[in-house]
């Protein structure tokens, strides 16, 4: 038996692989030369006109305050920290928006397939209305409602004990930090791991026996019990900082501004309309025979969606869902229109004070690129986990 000839790399022009690599190297070289020329030309023109360049301003005092931030910020601190505060504000509204839009969009998408005429019609109207109204206009509408239609702070709404809602935003109670809360966080982490283990056990049991086990309620119970155990182990700290209403104001507790609520609500309801269509299309892509098989097994509509249709629809849902997550993150830049101090707002202020336009824009681009790549990497990992594996 004659052994097949060994494959060796040929550096001859006759080799198709060699020509392909050579063409790519030439294109990359030309691209690098073009970028270097444009950068040198830009820096030279800036030097001739006396325009300063460089990132040395990052360590200089910012000289401006930030109205809302996750971490405390003072005007005497650096531009670098101001950009980090803006990035944290963008990340906060994007993360909460992704979670809320996913839940709302999934419910609306399932509602579009409901047999109930009212639910199906309202879900369809929601999608048709919000997808065809520009997001910026929706943000202006929500901002008008939150700042003009709500009562003033002295007449704040009191929907729940400890909660006040007015033109000044939402005030709410929050726990006072104590050392014992470390154990509570540890309990939360262990509870999440336990809930994941239970969900995996339930799935394995269903695949082996065909008998489904409840997942949501036991998983939630595991998390609650683990958090409670950690809280007790930490000494059961019960200090709460609750807002209190005075004659002219509401003091204490935590608070979020109308600008934050505007951006969060606007991004959530707008993106949820697109996610609803993604979910609807994914479910309808599952062959109808799967529905018939579920009915023949006696599964309820909820069990059919959770155990049969949604797991198979994920391979269709996840890629376009990733696009919607990226769109939501990038659309958060519109927050500057309603005065929310996000990354773009901080960048505009820094640009006006320092004149470093290229540097500020480059930082914003780098931040959004990093957030987008991290989101894509996470969703690609989940897509590989959810893909149907052929045997």
């Amino acid at each position: 038996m004659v052994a097949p000839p060994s494959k060796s790399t040929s550096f001859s022009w006759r080799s198709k692989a060699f020509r392909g690599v050579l063409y790519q190297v030439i294109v990359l070289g030309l691209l690098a030369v073009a970028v270097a020329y444009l950068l040198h030309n830009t820096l030279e023109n800036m030097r001739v006109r006396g325009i300063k360049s460089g990132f040395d301003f990052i360590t200089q005092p910012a000289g401006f305050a930030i109205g809302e931030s996750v971490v405390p910020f003072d005007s005497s601190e650096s531009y670098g920290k101001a950009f980090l505060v803006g990035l944290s504000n963008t990340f906060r509204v994007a993360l909460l928006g992704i979670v809320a839009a996913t839940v709302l969009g999934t419910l609306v998408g399932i509602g579009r397939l409901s047999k109930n005429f009212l639910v199906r019609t309202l879900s369809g109207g929601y999608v048709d209305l919000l997808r065809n109204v520009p997001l910026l206009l929706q943000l202006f509408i929500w901002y008008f409602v939150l700042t003009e239609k709500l009562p003033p702070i002295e007449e704040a709404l009191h929907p729940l004990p400890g909660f006040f809602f007015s033109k000044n935003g939402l005030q709410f109670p929050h726990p006072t930090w104590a050392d014992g809360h470390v154990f509570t966080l540890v309990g939360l982490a262990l509870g999440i791991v336990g809930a994941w283990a239970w969900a995996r056990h339930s799935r394995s049991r269903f695949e082996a026996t065909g008998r489904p086990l409840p997942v949501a309620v036991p998983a939630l119970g595991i998390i609650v019990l683990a958090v409670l155990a950690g809280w007790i182990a930490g000494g059961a700290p019960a200090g709460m900082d609750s807002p209190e209403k005075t004659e002219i104001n509401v003091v204490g507790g935590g608070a979020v501004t109308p600008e934050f609520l505007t951006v969060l609500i606007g991004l959530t309801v707008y993106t949820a309309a697109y996610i609803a269509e993604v979910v609807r299309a994914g479910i309808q892509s599952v062959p109808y025979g799967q529905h018939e098989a579920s009915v023949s097994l006696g599964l309820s509509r909820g069990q059919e969606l959770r155990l049969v249709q949604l797991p198979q629809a994920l391979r269709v849902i996840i890629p376009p869902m990733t696009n919607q997550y990226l769109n939501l993150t990038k659309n958060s830049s519109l927050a500057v229109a309603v005065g929310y101090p996000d990354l773009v707002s901080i960048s505009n202020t820094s640009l006006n004070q320092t004149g470093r336009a290229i540097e500020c824009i480059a930082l914003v681009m780098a931040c959004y690129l990093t957030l987008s790549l991290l989101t894509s990497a996470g969703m690609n990992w989940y897509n590989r986990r959810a893909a149907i594996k052929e045997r």
Side-chain angles (χ1 to χ4, degrees):
M1 183 176 180
V2 180
S6 60
K7 295 182 179 180
S8 58
T9 303
S10 175
F11 294 97
S12 170
W13 182 256
R14 295 170 179 248
S15 172
K16 183 178 180 180
F18 173 73
R19 292 199 305 271
V21 173
L22 182 62
Y23 291 151
Q24 294 179 60
V25 171
I26 292 175
V27 170
L28 289 176
L30 293 175
L31 181 62
V33 170
V35 171
Y37 171 76
L38 292 175
L39 181 61
H40 176 268
N41 191 39
T42 301
L43 294 177
E44 182 64 21
N45 288 333
M46 293 174 63
R47 186 189 64 79
V48 171
R49 290 166 174 77
I51 301 176
K52 294 183 179 181
S53 62
F55 291 91
D56 55 304
F57 73 97
I58 290 293
T59 59
Q60 298 174 2
F64 60 87
I66 299 178
E68 183 175 2
S69 62
V70 180
V71 295
F73 179 80
D74 186 78
S75 60
S76 61
E77 296 183 273
S78 65
Y79 283 102
K81 186 173 181 179
F83 272 94
L84 291 178
V85 170
L87 178 61
S88 65
N89 285 343
T90 295
F91 180 77
R92 176 175 61 153
V93 74
L95 181 61
L96 293 176
I98 285 174
V99 174
T102 301
V103 174
L104 179 59
T106 301
L107 294 176
V108 174
I110 295 174
R112 293 211 64 187
L113 302 175
S114 175
K115 295 181 180 179
N116 185 292
F117 174 78
L118 181 60
V119 173
R120 185 173 64 252
T121 303
L122 290 178
S123 299
Y126 173 90
V127 171
D128 292 338
L129 174 63
L130 293 175
R131 286 206 312 170
N132 292 289
V133 177
L135 175 57
L136 184 59
L137 179 58
Q138 293 187 38
L139 291 178
F140 286 148
I141 293 174
W142 285 112
Y143 189 66
F144 173 78
V145 170
L146 292 173
T147 58
E148 297 295 334
K149 296 303 180 181
L150 288 178
I153 186 65
E154 59 270 14
E155 302 174 5
L157 300 176
H158 191 40
L160 294 172
F163 287 81
F164 295 91
F165 198 31
S166 66
K167 291 181 178 181
N168 285 33
L170 177 65
Q171 284 80 29
F172 53 89
H174 65 83
T176 303
W177 176 257
D179 294 337
H181 284 141
V182 175
F183 292 91
T184 306
L185 295 178
V186 173
L188 175 61
L190 294 177
I192 293 175
V193 173
W196 171 81
W198 172 259
R200 186 170 182 177
H201 168 72
S202 177
R203 184 168 59 252
S204 301
R205 172 74 178 275
F206 176 73
E207 293 174 352
T209 65
R211 298 179 180 177
L213 292 175
V215 177
V217 174
L220 181 61
I222 291 173
I223 294 175
V224 171
L225 290 177
V227 170
L228 182 61
W231 178 68
I232 295 175
M240 293 289 294
D241 184 8
S242 299
E244 296 180 359
K245 186 176 180 181
T246 64
E247 293 183 358
I248 60 174
N249 204 352
V250 176
V251 296
V256 289
T257 63
E259 291 76 18
F260 171 79
L261 293 175
T262 296
V263 178
L264 179 60
I265 296 174
L267 290 176
T268 296
V269 298
Y270 178 77
T271 308
Y274 288 89
I275 291 178
E277 285 296 272
V278 171
V279 172
R280 178 195 59 79
I283 293 176
Q284 288 186 323
S285 70
V286 178
Y288 189 75
Q290 298 294 312
H291 166 70
E292 296 174 330
S294 302
V295 173
S296 67
L297 291 174
L299 298 181
S300 65
R301 178 57 176 165
Q303 290 176 328
E304 178 187 350
L305 281 171
R306 181 169 57 87
L307 301 174
V308 179
Q309 291 186 327
L310 283 178
Q312 297 183 67
L314 280 178
R315 58 179 177 174
V316 178
I317 291 175
I318 292 176
M321 187 82 82
T322 303
N323 291 337
Q324 298 308 320
Y325 291 167
L326 296 177
N327 288 337
L328 187 149
T329 302
K330 291 181 289 188
N331 285 338
S332 65
S333 60
L334 293 175
V336 66
V338 295
Y340 178 67
D342 72 324
L343 181 63
V344 174
S345 176
I346 300 301
S347 173
N348 288 341
T349 304
S350 302
L351 187 155
N352 291 330
Q353 292 189 177
T354 63
R356 309 292 176 88
I358 295 178
E359 291 81 356
C360 291
I361 294 174
L363 287 174
V364 173
M365 292 174 60
C367 290
Y368 278 108
L369 179 62
T370 302
L371 291 177
S372 297
L373 291 178
L374 290 176
T375 303
S376 298
M379 292 300 292
N380 287 337
W381 171 83
Y382 184 64
N383 189 33
R384 291 191 296 269
R385 290 290 303 272
I388 296 178
K389 299 177 178 59
E390 299 182 357
R391 291 179 174 84

